[in-house]
Amino acid sequence: MAKKKELSYTEAFRRLQEIQRLIEDNKLDVDELSTVLQEASALLKLCKDKLFVINEETQKILKDINEA
């Protein structure tokens, strides 16, 4: 079984925007809503995790610069 490629932050964010538009435009029926909200939840976690890692890396770089 092929391993799924992890989405980039940009791809995940774009999909979240698409989901938002679908919800706002009432383009999802009740049967799809739960599935799409679960997908949105997973995408939000992915984005949050990526931002956390970037923040940690940025803080380390800034600390290294200030100590130099």
Side-chain angles (χ1 to χ4, degrees), residues 24-61:
E24 288 175 348
D25 295 343
N26 294 317
K27 300 246 174 145
L28 297 172
D29 63 32
V30 172
D31 297 324
E32 295 174 297
L33 191 56
S34 178
T35 301
V36 171
L37 288 176
Q38 288 175 4
E39 178 186 3
S41 177
L43 291 168
L44 285 168
K45 181 180 180 334
L46 184 143
C47 288
K48 179 182 157 198
D49 291 347
K50 286 184 179 284
L51 288 172
F52 179 80
V53 168
I54 292 298
N55 183 55
E56 291 293 310
E57 290 173 353
T58 302
Q59 293 302 317
K60 183 182 180 318
I61 290 168

